[in-house]
Amino acid sequence: MNENNDVMYRLLVQSVVDYAIYMLEPDGTVANWNAGAERAKGYLPEEIIGKNFSCFYSEEDQQKGVPQRSLATAREVGRFETEGWRYRKDGSAFWAHVIIDAVYDDDGAVVGFAKITRDCTEQQAQLAEQRAQEQKFRLLVEGVTDYAIYMLDPDGYVVNWNEGARRAKGYTADEIVGKHFSCFYSTQDRLAKLPETNLKTALRTGRFEEQGWRYRKDGTSFWAHVVIDAVHDDDGKLIGYAKITRDCTEQQRLLREQREREQVFRLLVEGVTDYAIYMLDPKGHVVNWNAGAHRAKGYTASEIVGKHFSCFYSAQDRFACLPDKNLSIAQSAGRFEDQGWRYRKDGSAFWAHVVIEAIYTEEGKLLGFAKITRDCTEVREYEQQILRAKDLAEQNSQKMASLSTFLDTIIANIPSCVIVEDVVSREVLLLNSKAEQLLGVKMKEVSGKRLADFMPSELCSYFAQLATAAQRNEGVHKNEQMLRTRGGERIINASASIIHGNDTHNNYVLLIADDVTDQRAADARIHHMAHHDNLTSLPNRVLFSQRLNEALRNDFDTGKQTAALCLDLDNFKNVNDALGHQVGDDLLRAVASRLRGVLREQDTLARNGGDEFSIVLPGLTQQLEAEAVAQRLIEAIRPTFSVDGHNLSVGLSIGISIAAGGLTTPDELLRCADMALYEAKRNGRNRFEHFSSEMGEAASKRRMIETDLREAMTHRHLKLYYQPITNGEGQQIISYEALMRWHHPRQGLIMPLDFIPVAEETGLIHSLGAFALHEACREAAKWPDHQSVAVNLSPLQFKNSSLVSVVEAALKESGLAPHRLEVEITESVLLDNTLVNIRILQKLKKLGVRIALDDFGTGYSSLSYLRSFPFDKIKIDKSFINDMKESREALAIIRAITGMSRSLDIQITAEGVENSEQFEQLKIEGCTLFQGYYFGRPQPSETRLKLFGVNEKQETKIRPAILE
C-alpha cells in the first residue's frame, strides 16, 4: 500500500461516524481516535489518546480484569468479539458490540490492536420489546380458559398446551406435551384411524372442522367443536397444526332440550282429540294427520295423507271451487275462517268451524297451510233444537208443560254455558251444568239472585253489557273478552238475545258463553309462526308485505311518501364461518335489537332470512328523512358487539327506494331497494345508496345478458380467439393468449367486457372458466411443441375449491404438457383472501403450470406481490404502452418494471404494441415478450396467425380495429 492509499484509508476511518474505530498499543493504551469514537463515547482525541482503554469498562469489570483478558484473547487467537455494557465520558452506559483484532508485523509480533465498537442500544431495546410482545401473546393464548388451544407437530404430537386445554381435557402440560393427540379420541375412533384421517384433511384442504365426542383424562366424554388448521412457513412447508377445541356439551344439551320440546309440542298436537289439526302443502294435499282429525273425519293417517283436502267438501262446493278459493284467501290474507258443512269418510256431514293459516319459511316462500277443524254439530243442533222448541211452544200452548221439561233437558246438556235472566228484575232463572262449572256455583244456591250477588265484578259487568245491548236492539249480540274467573283468566266468547214469553210481561235474557282460551292460544301460536321470524321474533316477509301494502295505501291517500329499505350486514359470513352458527344467531338477535331501537313506532323492521333485513318507513315528507334514518342505522351497528365472550364488528349496507315517480307496487319498490343495496355494496359497503333509473336499466340489461349467456353456453355460441405473442426478434410466435368471444345470434360479436362481469355476478364464471381451460388446452395440444397458450382466470374462480382439479383435468384430457399452459391473474386475486389464494397458486405451480401477473402497474400494484409468490411473467398494462411517447411518467414506470424484472429474473410481456416505433422502444427498455395488433389480432383457432412476415404485419396495420 503506497502513501496515498494510507492517507485515503486514514481519512475514510476518521470520517466514519456510526462506528468507534481506534488503535490500541500492545498494553491497551489508545493510539488514535476517529469521529465515530468521539460520537459514541464522548471523548475528544486529546482527552483519550494515551489513556488505557479500560476506562470504558465499569469498575467491577476493571477489578475482574475483563479488559486485559479481552486483549489476551485477541493476542492468542487473533480476534476477540463480545457484547455488553460500556460507559461514556459522562458516565452513561450503552449496549455495545465490540471487536478487537490483533495487528501483527511482518515477523508475526503483535504491534497493537484494532478496536471497533458499535452502539447497539436501540437494537437491544427493540429486541427486548419484541420478546415482551411474544411473551404477552404466549401468555394471552395460555390464559384462554374457554377454548383448548394447542399446537401439533406434523406427525400429530402435542407441542404446547394452554390453560383452556388443561381445563377442558384434564391434562397438565407435563402430562400431555409429547403425546399423540389421538388419546382424546375413543378406542373405536382410533382403530378407524380417524385422528390421522382428520390431519390429512387439514393438510389437503387447509382446515378440518367437525363436532363429536372427545374424552378427558378421567375418561369422561364431552361434545366438542374441533378446528384443525394446517400451519405452513413462508416457503409453504408444513410446520404443524393449530388445534382449537371448544366444549359444546351445554349447547348440545340445550339443542337436545329444544328438540324434545318440539317433540312434546308435536305429540301434544297429535294427541288433541277435540280438534282436527293437520298441515296442507301449497297445493292443498294433506301432509300429516292428528288423532283429532282421525276422530272427526274418520280417516286414518295412511288413508288420507297425500290426498287433496277438497274430499272433505260436498260435490257442489268442489264444483264451485270453494276449497281452492279458501286456500287463496288464506295465502293472500294470511288466514281463512268459516263455518259450514264438511264430510267424513263414511259420507256423513258435520257442522265445522274451520281455520286455515298460511305458513311461510324465513325466506318468504309458502311452506303450506295449517288447518284446524272443530266439529260443532252438537252445539249447532242444540241451538236449532232450542229455536224449534221455542216455535213449537208459542204455536201450541197446550204442550208447554211437556216442552218445558224437554227444554230443561236440552239446556242442561248443552256443551256451552247457558244463563237465563228475567229482563226486568235481572234475577237468574236458569244455569246449566256448564255455567255452574264456569262460575263455581250450583243453580239451587243462586236461584232468585242477581249475577252481581255471586259472580266476580269483571265477569258480571261483561254479561250485563251484553244483556243491555240485547234489550236495546233486537237480534243476537256477541262479544269475546279475556276475563278473570274462579278458574283464572280465561277468554270467554258469549252472545245475548231476548226471548219473548207468552205475553209482553214475560221476557227473558238468554246468555250463551264458551271458554275459547285453548282454541285462541292455538290460533295465536299458529298466527305468530306464520307472520314472525323464529330467530329474532321480527316480522317475516308475509307480515312485512302486509305492512308495506298498508303504508302505500295510507300514504297515497294523505299525499305522503313511503320508503322501503333493504339492509345487508357486511362481514357477517366471516363471523359465522369462524365462530359457528350459535354465535352468528346471537349476533343477529343483537343486531335486530339495535336496529329496532333507532326506528319510530310506526316503522316496520323485518328479517328476510340470513343476515338480510328490510324496513318500511311510512308517512315521509321528503327524501332526506329516509337518508337520516339510514345513517342512524349504520351508526347504530358501527360499535363493537359483545357476543358470547367475543368482540365482533360488522358493517351495514343499505339500499333505499321511495314510492314516487311511478314506484307504487310493493314488489317493484322492494326490487328497486335491492338494486340500490347491490350498488351500496359495490361502492365500498357500510353506506347507503338511493335507487336510480340507471340502476333499473343496468339490472334489466344484466338480466337479459344472463338469460342469453346461459343459452349461449348451452348452444356453444362462445368461442376462443387466439392472439400471438412473440419474442424480441419478432419473427417467431412462441405463445398465444386465449380470449373469449360471444357470437350472439341477434347482436353479433360481444366482447368479454360486456358479459364477463355478469358471469362473475351470477356464478356462471366457474362453468365459463372451465370451458376456456379445457378448450384452450385441447387446441394448444395440436400446436408445435414450442408454443404455449395463456388463459385468464377470474378472481372469483379462486373461491371455487375445485379450481386446481379443473386445471389438472384440462391438462390430462388434452394431453398438453403442463409447462405449455400459462394462467394469467390480476392483483385482486392477491388482495382477497391472500393466504388461501397463494396456496392455490402454489398447487398450480406444483403441477408445472406457469403463472403470469396481468395488468401490472395499475390498481394496487405492490412489490409485496412479487415477494409473496414467484411469478413466471409480468405483463405491463397496455395503457402505459399507449402513453409511452407523450408521458415521461409512463416511460419511467416501464423502465422501473423492466429493471425490477431483470433483478428478479422474471419475463416481461408488453401488451398493446401497435406499431414498429413502440416495438423498437420497448426492446431498448428491456421487454422480452410482445403482444399487440402490430403482430396480429385475436382470431379463431382455424384462422389464427401461424407465421410472421412483412405482408402479415402490413395487413395487421390496415385491418379495422377490434377491441379485445
Side-chain angles (χ1 to χ4, degrees), residues 832-854:
D832 183 20
N833 204 1
T834 305
L835 183 58
V836 173
N837 291 349
I838 286 292
R839 288 177 181 169
I840 292 175
L841 291 173
Q842 289 169 343
K843 291 177 182 178
L844 292 175
K845 189 86 168 176
K846 193 173 181 180
L847 291 178
V849 174
R850 293 167 58 82
I851 314 292
L853 184 57
D854 199 6

Short mmCIF file of all heavy atoms in Angstrom, two decimals, residues 832-854:
data_model
loop_
_atom_site.label_atom_id
_atom_site.label_comp_id
_atom_site.label_asym_id
_atom_site.label_seq_id
_atom_site.Cartn_x
_atom_site.Cartn_y
_atom_site.Cartn_z
N ASP A 832 -57.62 -10.48 -2.12
CA ASP A 832 -58.76 -11.14 -1.49
C ASP A 832 -58.34 -12.51 -0.97
O ASP A 832 -57.93 -13.38 -1.72
CB ASP A 832 -59.88 -11.30 -2.53
CG ASP A 832 -61.13 -11.92 -1.91
OD1 ASP A 832 -61.26 -11.87 -0.69
OD2 ASP A 832 -61.94 -12.45 -2.67
N ASN A 833 -58.42 -12.70 0.38
CA ASN A 833 -58.11 -14.00 1.00
C ASN A 833 -56.74 -14.50 0.55
O ASN A 833 -56.59 -15.60 0.02
CB ASN A 833 -59.20 -15.02 0.62
CG ASN A 833 -59.30 -16.13 1.63
OD1 ASN A 833 -58.56 -16.14 2.62
ND2 ASN A 833 -60.17 -17.08 1.39
N THR A 834 -55.73 -13.67 0.78
CA THR A 834 -54.41 -13.86 0.20
C THR A 834 -53.83 -15.24 0.47
O THR A 834 -53.35 -15.92 -0.45
CB THR A 834 -53.45 -12.79 0.73
OG1 THR A 834 -54.03 -11.51 0.47
CG2 THR A 834 -52.10 -12.89 0.05
N LEU A 835 -53.85 -15.70 1.72
CA LEU A 835 -53.19 -16.95 2.08
C LEU A 835 -53.79 -18.13 1.32
O LEU A 835 -53.05 -18.97 0.78
CB LEU A 835 -53.30 -17.18 3.59
CG LEU A 835 -52.57 -18.42 4.12
CD1 LEU A 835 -51.09 -18.35 3.79
CD2 LEU A 835 -52.76 -18.55 5.63
N VAL A 836 -55.13 -18.21 1.25
CA VAL A 836 -55.78 -19.31 0.54
C VAL A 836 -55.43 -19.27 -0.94
O VAL A 836 -55.10 -20.29 -1.55
CB VAL A 836 -57.31 -19.26 0.74
CG1 VAL A 836 -58.01 -20.30 -0.13
CG2 VAL A 836 -57.66 -19.46 2.20
N ASN A 837 -55.49 -18.07 -1.53
CA ASN A 837 -55.22 -17.94 -2.96
C ASN A 837 -53.74 -18.24 -3.28
O ASN A 837 -53.44 -18.82 -4.33
CB ASN A 837 -55.60 -16.55 -3.44
CG ASN A 837 -57.10 -16.33 -3.43
OD1 ASN A 837 -57.85 -17.27 -3.26
ND2 ASN A 837 -57.54 -15.11 -3.58
N ILE A 838 -52.84 -17.84 -2.38
CA ILE A 838 -51.42 -18.16 -2.58
C ILE A 838 -51.22 -19.67 -2.60
O ILE A 838 -50.47 -20.22 -3.41
CB ILE A 838 -50.56 -17.51 -1.47
CG1 ILE A 838 -50.45 -15.99 -1.69
CG2 ILE A 838 -49.16 -18.13 -1.43
CD1 ILE A 838 -49.66 -15.60 -2.91
N ARG A 839 -51.93 -20.38 -1.72
CA ARG A 839 -51.80 -21.83 -1.68
C ARG A 839 -52.32 -22.47 -2.96
O ARG A 839 -51.77 -23.46 -3.46
CB ARG A 839 -52.54 -22.39 -0.47
CG ARG A 839 -51.83 -22.08 0.85
CD ARG A 839 -52.62 -22.57 2.05
NE ARG A 839 -51.93 -22.23 3.29
CZ ARG A 839 -52.46 -22.33 4.50
NH1 ARG A 839 -53.72 -22.74 4.62
NH2 ARG A 839 -51.77 -22.03 5.58
N ILE A 840 -53.41 -21.91 -3.51
CA ILE A 840 -53.92 -22.42 -4.79
C ILE A 840 -52.89 -22.20 -5.89
O ILE A 840 -52.63 -23.10 -6.71
CB ILE A 840 -55.25 -21.73 -5.14
CG1 ILE A 840 -56.35 -22.15 -4.15
CG2 ILE A 840 -55.68 -22.07 -6.57
CD1 ILE A 840 -57.67 -21.44 -4.34
N LEU A 841 -52.27 -21.00 -5.91
CA LEU A 841 -51.23 -20.72 -6.91
C LEU A 841 -50.05 -21.68 -6.75
O LEU A 841 -49.46 -22.14 -7.74
CB LEU A 841 -50.76 -19.27 -6.79
CG LEU A 841 -51.77 -18.19 -7.21
CD1 LEU A 841 -51.23 -16.80 -6.88
CD2 LEU A 841 -52.07 -18.29 -8.70
N GLN A 842 -49.70 -21.99 -5.50
CA GLN A 842 -48.60 -22.93 -5.26
C GLN A 842 -48.93 -24.32 -5.79
O GLN A 842 -48.07 -25.01 -6.35
CB GLN A 842 -48.29 -22.99 -3.76
CG GLN A 842 -47.64 -21.72 -3.22
CD GLN A 842 -47.58 -21.69 -1.70
OE1 GLN A 842 -48.27 -22.44 -1.02
NE2 GLN A 842 -46.75 -20.81 -1.15
N LYS A 843 -50.20 -24.74 -5.63
CA LYS A 843 -50.60 -26.04 -6.15
C LYS A 843 -50.56 -26.06 -7.68
O LYS A 843 -50.16 -27.06 -8.28
CB LYS A 843 -52.01 -26.38 -5.66
CG LYS A 843 -52.07 -26.66 -4.15
CD LYS A 843 -53.51 -26.93 -3.70
CE LYS A 843 -53.58 -27.16 -2.20
NZ LYS A 843 -54.99 -27.37 -1.74
N LEU A 844 -50.98 -24.95 -8.31
CA LEU A 844 -50.91 -24.86 -9.77
C LEU A 844 -49.45 -24.91 -10.23
O LEU A 844 -49.11 -25.57 -11.21
CB LEU A 844 -51.58 -23.57 -10.26
CG LEU A 844 -53.10 -23.48 -10.09
CD1 LEU A 844 -53.60 -22.11 -10.49
CD2 LEU A 844 -53.80 -24.55 -10.92
N LYS A 845 -48.59 -24.20 -9.49
CA LYS A 845 -47.16 -24.18 -9.81
C LYS A 845 -46.58 -25.59 -9.69
O LYS A 845 -45.74 -26.01 -10.50
CB LYS A 845 -46.45 -23.22 -8.86
CG LYS A 845 -45.01 -22.94 -9.21
CD LYS A 845 -44.90 -21.81 -10.20
CE LYS A 845 -43.46 -21.34 -10.33
NZ LYS A 845 -43.31 -20.31 -11.35
N LYS A 846 -47.05 -26.32 -8.68
CA LYS A 846 -46.56 -27.68 -8.46
C LYS A 846 -46.95 -28.60 -9.62
O LYS A 846 -46.23 -29.56 -9.93
CB LYS A 846 -47.11 -28.21 -7.15
CG LYS A 846 -46.44 -29.47 -6.66
CD LYS A 846 -46.93 -29.84 -5.26
CE LYS A 846 -46.23 -31.10 -4.74
NZ LYS A 846 -46.72 -31.46 -3.39
N LEU A 847 -48.09 -28.31 -10.27
CA LEU A 847 -48.49 -29.09 -11.44
C LEU A 847 -47.54 -28.87 -12.62
O LEU A 847 -47.52 -29.68 -13.55
CB LEU A 847 -49.91 -28.72 -11.88
CG LEU A 847 -51.08 -29.12 -10.97
CD1 LEU A 847 -52.39 -28.59 -11.56
CD2 LEU A 847 -51.15 -30.62 -10.81
N GLY A 848 -46.80 -27.75 -12.58
CA GLY A 848 -45.93 -27.40 -13.70
C GLY A 848 -46.47 -26.26 -14.54
O GLY A 848 -45.86 -25.86 -15.53
N VAL A 849 -47.63 -25.73 -14.17
CA VAL A 849 -48.25 -24.63 -14.91
C VAL A 849 -47.50 -23.33 -14.63
O VAL A 849 -47.05 -23.09 -13.50
CB VAL A 849 -49.73 -24.49 -14.50
CG1 VAL A 849 -50.37 -23.27 -15.15
CG2 VAL A 849 -50.50 -25.75 -14.86
N ARG A 850 -47.36 -22.47 -15.64
CA ARG A 850 -46.70 -21.17 -15.46
C ARG A 850 -47.73 -20.12 -15.03
O ARG A 850 -48.89 -20.18 -15.44
CB ARG A 850 -46.03 -20.75 -16.77
CG ARG A 850 -44.86 -21.65 -17.15
CD ARG A 850 -44.41 -21.43 -18.58
NE ARG A 850 -44.00 -20.05 -18.81
CZ ARG A 850 -42.79 -19.55 -18.49
NH1 ARG A 850 -41.89 -20.33 -17.92
NH2 ARG A 850 -42.49 -18.30 -18.75
N ILE A 851 -47.30 -19.16 -14.20
CA ILE A 851 -48.20 -18.16 -13.63
C ILE A 851 -47.74 -16.77 -14.06
O ILE A 851 -46.57 -16.42 -13.88
CB ILE A 851 -48.24 -18.22 -12.09
CG1 ILE A 851 -48.36 -19.66 -11.59
CG2 ILE A 851 -49.35 -17.34 -11.56
CD1 ILE A 851 -49.68 -20.31 -11.89
N ALA A 852 -48.66 -15.96 -14.61
CA ALA A 852 -48.35 -14.59 -15.05
C ALA A 852 -49.21 -13.60 -14.28
O ALA A 852 -50.39 -13.86 -14.02
CB ALA A 852 -48.59 -14.43 -16.55
N LEU A 853 -48.61 -12.45 -13.90
CA LEU A 853 -49.34 -11.37 -13.22
C LEU A 853 -49.71 -10.33 -14.28
O LEU A 853 -48.85 -9.64 -14.82
CB LEU A 853 -48.47 -10.75 -12.13
CG LEU A 853 -49.12 -9.68 -11.25
CD1 LEU A 853 -50.38 -10.21 -10.59
CD2 LEU A 853 -48.15 -9.17 -10.21
N ASP A 854 -51.02 -10.24 -14.57
CA ASP A 854 -51.52 -9.39 -15.67
C ASP A 854 -51.78 -7.96 -15.18
O ASP A 854 -51.99 -7.72 -13.99
CB ASP A 854 -52.81 -10.01 -16.22
CG ASP A 854 -53.14 -9.49 -17.60
OD1 ASP A 854 -52.33 -8.75 -18.17
OD2 ASP A 854 -54.23 -9.81 -18.11
#
